[in-house]
Amino acid sequence: MCLAVTEELLRQRAEHNNCELFSLEEISLHQQEIEKLEYIDKLCRDLKILYLQNNLIPKIENVSKLKKLEYLNLALNNIERIENLEGCEELQKLDLTANFIGELSSIEILKHNIHLRELFLVGNPCTEFEGYRQFVVATLHQLKCLDSKEIERSERIQALQNYRQVEKQIRDQEQVYLVKRAREKEEALKKFQEKQEKKKEKQIKPKPGFDRRWYTDVNNINPDPLEDKENHQQKETEKEYQEWEIDKDDEEDRAFWEEPTPYTPEYRLEAHRHLEEKRRVKENIRGQKMKEKPPRTLITTDGKVLNMNEPKHLDSSLIDVDVQPTYLRVMVKDKVCIFLLLSFKIENSTFHVCCYSFSGKINVKTTSQRTTRAEKLEVDPSKYSFPDVANIIQEKERTGQGPINLQQQKVIDTENSYVDFEDNQDVPPLI
């Protein structure tokens, strides 16, 4: 299965840019098990920084239209030659650490990237060639730093003087390497085919204790008294076989990692496939264990009801709760659930009722069977008094401090002061 860059993956990794791709300037696609580059040059034209390290990319492609790209990181991949970078006009830094580049002459394509200042080729087979650094320095005049080491002016002059001789050495070594790579590819293909045949034989081989024939008694007219015992023995045999298979897989896994292999893209890909297969087997075993759950005990033998809770993970952003005096509304994944909060009053006793509605249906649950009619809660003004907001702070009597009393005395005795007062209803109040 070839894992390629998809639009969904790009939008997922562009969360910092609100999942927008047309204005995206930086994206990190490292450790995504990518084996093919696609869609990047079509959807992310404004990219300036692109991280693609630690994947399984065998070829540089579909990035030549990124004219604003300044930094490209392709370290720890399966790249064997440098190509398809002519259109990256603003490229300043290129990291190809720990790849499988053996065609050192392919760096000549980088002459078109006039702004290229830093190049990293550490960990590639081409770095073992005699005259490697001199060839790169003499070929790429615009380069300022190679493998984290600054290029001195004297070093460049010397490399240009010996360029003819160094170029011939590099070409000869490159041809030897290409012949070796062709042989390695043939051996890897042959070994891969042998492993596929062994895997098929392993799948066809029957399990011990099972003759691959089924016997069915439809009407169950001949019950076997030893059936339970045989079933138990069969389960024990299958369990022993599974344990034996696990031990055998562990031995095969140990032998796989202890076997000496050449450092090639094919074996690196094979190691990745092996890890992926082991992970898939473990997930299948874990899934089977999760399916084989013991029967749930809801009520004990003595009739006691047990607490039961089966939680499931749910994103809190999918839940919306609206609390009101008369109802409670809950939205879960765009599904509405309404709880009506009412009260019933019967013979000086109050019974609380919860009515809930889900998808348009209304059900009523009461706490008593004697409920006859529903009454809304009303406020009786004679029994309840509301505070006067205007005069919520009570006025306190205050007396002046010192020899002069600056505050007026509050009149308390009103009966003696207004004995002859008569209220005339025709006179409007003085306000």
Side-chain angles (χ1 to χ4, degrees):
M1 182 179 179
C2 182
L3 300 179
V5 178
T6 60
E7 182 179 353
E8 182 182 359
L9 176 61
L10 292 174
R11 293 193 182 279
Q12 181 183 357
R13 303 298 294 179
E15 294 179 351
H16 59 283
N17 198 44
N18 296 326
C19 299
E20 295 179 357
L21 300 180
F22 69 94
S23 62
L24 188 65
E25 295 185 353
E26 178 180 347
I27 190 169
S28 178
L29 299 172
H30 66 284
Q31 295 181 345
Q32 296 294 319
E33 301 178 359
I34 298 171
E35 298 183 29
K36 189 175 182 181
L37 294 179
E38 289 181 342
Y39 298 105
I40 296 179
D41 58 343
K42 296 180 181 179
L43 300 176
C44 310
R45 291 292 184 90
D46 291 342
L47 270 183
K48 293 183 178 180
I49 301 176
L50 177 57
Y51 295 99
L52 288 165
Q53 67 270 27
N54 203 357
N55 284 292
L56 300 168
I57 301 170
K59 183 179 180 181
I60 304 175
E61 56 184 347
N62 296 323
V63 294
S64 60
K65 295 181 181 179
L66 302 177
K67 298 185 179 299
K68 299 181 181 180
L69 188 64
E70 298 177 0
Y71 176 34
L72 177 60
N73 192 331
L74 283 165
L76 291 167
N77 279 280
N78 291 345
I79 298 170
E80 296 192 59
R81 68 190 313 268
I82 304 173
E83 56 187 342
N84 300 324
L85 291 174
E86 306 94 320
C88 302
E89 299 174 356
E90 298 295 328
L91 186 63
Q92 300 177 12
K93 184 177 180 181
L94 177 61
D95 193 345
L96 294 168
T97 304
N99 277 274
F100 299 92
I101 298 174
E103 296 185 45
L104 186 57
S105 59
S106 63
I107 66 168
E108 294 179 353
I109 200 70
L110 298 177
K111 290 181 178 180
H112 302 280
N113 306 100
I114 59 176
H115 298 288
L116 185 64
R117 298 292 179 266
E118 296 182 66
L119 177 63
F120 297 87
L121 292 171
V122 179
N124 287 273
C126 63
T127 58
E128 299 177 2
F129 293 172
E130 186 179 353
Y132 148 73
R133 185 174 177 88
Q134 292 180 353
F135 178 77
V136 176
V137 171
T139 303
L140 304 178
H141 300 169
Q142 76 276 27
L143 209 60
K144 300 296 182 184
C145 182
L146 176 61
D147 298 334
S148 300
K149 184 179 179 182
E150 187 178 355
I151 300 173
E152 301 291 341
R153 186 171 179 270
S154 58
E155 182 183 6
R156 191 181 301 279
I157 294 173
Q158 186 178 0
L160 290 172
Q161 290 175 351
N162 302 327
Y163 179 71
R164 299 275 181 150
Q165 182 181 356
V166 172
E167 183 185 14
K168 186 177 182 306
Q169 292 179 351
I170 293 297
R171 299 285 184 182
D172 295 340
Q173 296 176 79
E174 189 177 287
Q175 290 299 322
V176 174
Y177 174 80
L178 292 177
V179 173
K180 179 184 174 183
R181 275 293 298 137
R183 186 169 58 253
E184 288 175 350
K185 289 180 180 180
E186 291 179 0
E187 293 177 356
L189 180 61
K190 184 178 178 181
K191 189 174 182 181
F192 177 76
Q193 292 175 353
E194 292 177 355
K195 286 189 175 182
Q196 291 296 324
E197 292 177 359
K198 289 181 180 180
K199 189 179 293 185
K200 290 181 181 179
E201 292 177 358
K202 183 180 178 181
Q203 293 176 353
I204 296 174
K205 186 177 179 181
K207 297 180 181 180
F210 178 54
D211 58 357
R212 307 189 68 82
R213 291 181 295 174
W214 296 94
Y215 302 91
T216 306
D217 185 8
V218 179
N219 298 322
N220 196 19
I221 57 176
N222 296 318
D224 189 357
L226 301 177
E227 184 178 0
D228 294 338
K229 185 177 180 180
E230 290 179 357
N231 291 338
H232 179 71
Q233 291 178 353
Q234 186 178 359
K235 289 181 180 180
E236 290 293 331
T237 305
E238 291 180 355
K239 185 177 180 181
E240 291 177 0
Y241 177 75
Q242 290 177 357
E243 294 177 354
W244 172 77
E245 261 192 342
I246 293 173
D247 295 338
K248 187 179 179 181
D249 289 341
D250 292 340
E251 292 178 1
E252 292 179 354
D253 184 61
R254 193 180 303 108
F256 176 84
W257 294 112
E258 290 178 355
E259 179 184 3
T261 56
Y263 182 65
T264 61
E266 291 78 20
Y267 283 97
R268 184 171 184 265
L269 191 61
E270 183 183 358
H272 170 74
R273 295 280 187 266
H274 181 76
L275 291 174
E276 187 69 17
E277 185 177 355
K278 297 293 290 184
R279 183 184 63 82
R280 189 162 51 248
V281 170
K282 288 182 180 180
E283 288 181 355
N284 292 337
I285 294 174
R286 192 182 299 112
Q288 292 177 0
K289 289 182 179 180
M290 292 179 64
K291 290 180 180 179
E292 296 175 358
K293 292 183 179 179
R296 295 176 297 178
T297 304
L298 303 179
I299 302 176
T300 60
T301 55
D302 56 351
K304 182 181 178 181
V305 180
L306 301 178
N307 291 329
M308 178 60 65
N309 183 20
E310 293 182 344
K312 289 186 178 181
H313 298 287
L314 182 64
D315 189 358
S316 59
S317 62
L318 301 176
I319 304 175
D320 183 22
V321 181
D322 183 16
V323 182
Q324 298 294 336
T326 58
Y327 69 90
L328 174 66
R329 183 181 63 189
V330 182
M331 297 277 293
V332 181
K333 290 185 177 181
D334 298 330
K335 300 294 183 180
V336 183
C337 184
I338 300 178
F339 297 89
L340 302 179
L341 307 177
L342 304 176
S343 294
F344 292 86
K345 201 169 186 180
I346 301 174
E347 298 178 357
N348 297 327
S349 298
T350 303
F351 297 85
H352 297 282
V353 178
C354 178
C355 304
Y356 64 90
S357 171
F358 189 82
S359 300
K361 297 180 181 179
I362 299 178
N363 299 322
V364 180
K365 290 184 178 181
T366 61
T367 57
S368 175
Q369 297 293 336
R370 298 179 300 168
T371 305
T372 57
R373 64 188 184 88
E375 294 182 0
K376 294 184 178 179
L377 293 177
E378 299 290 347
V379 179
D380 188 359
S382 62
K383 296 182 179 181
Y384 300 95
S385 61
F386 294 92
D388 187 1
V389 181
N391 300 319
I392 194 170
I393 300 177
Q394 297 180 358
E395 184 180 0
K396 295 182 179 180
E397 296 183 3
R398 294 176 293 179
T399 57
Q401 302 294 333
I404 301 176
N405 187 3
L406 300 178
Q407 298 181 0
Q408 298 180 358
Q409 296 290 339
K410 187 175 181 180
V411 179
I412 300 175
D413 189 6
T414 57
E415 295 180 359
N416 297 331
S417 301
Y418 303 97
V419 176
D420 299 334
F421 175 78
E422 289 184 4
D423 188 9
N424 190 350
Q425 299 294 335
D426 297 333
V427 178
L430 297 175
I431 297 177

